Amino acid sequence: MRKFQYVFMALAVLCFAIPAFADGGSAAINLVPIGAGVGMALAAGLCGLGQGKATASACEALARNPGARGGLMIFLILGLALIESLTLFTLVIILLKVK
């Protein structure tokens, strides 16, 4: 929880950094590619953590009850596909937004 607090404080500081360096005569800075990169990094990283946790839980469940392999693998593959689809949806949204 403390890490999220630090992340949000850093983002709040970055939100106010642009007006502090404004000189009034230059063109606006396009921050969309930077935001797209940060968004994709967050999506890919967190989906990777989710996939690792799901796979670890499936391996632990399989070690405890080897007879449940069939039903477990179906739900594992379905869960991993849904987790991966979140990253792909993020990629599509970012590609549409950057254009």
Side-chain angles (χ1 to χ4, degrees), residues 10 13 24 37 40 52 58 85:
V13 168
M40 192 62 204
S85 70

Side-chain angles (χ1 to χ4, degrees), residues 60-72:
E60 184 179 337
L62 190 60
R64 290 176 187 249
N65 187 7
R69 183 173 194 263
L72 184 69

Side-chain angles (χ1 to χ4, degrees), residues 50-93:
Q51 286 180 341
K53 189 167 178 82
T55 305
S57 296
C59 289
E60 184 179 337
L62 190 60
R64 290 176 187 249
N65 187 7
R69 183 173 194 263
L72 184 69
M73 288 300 153
I74 290 172
F75 288 119
L76 175 65
I77 299 298
L78 180 66
L80 290 176
L82 291 174
I83 292 170
E84 189 66 30
S85 70
L86 292 174
T87 306
L88 295 176
F89 289 145
T90 304
L91 178 65
V92 168
I93 290 171

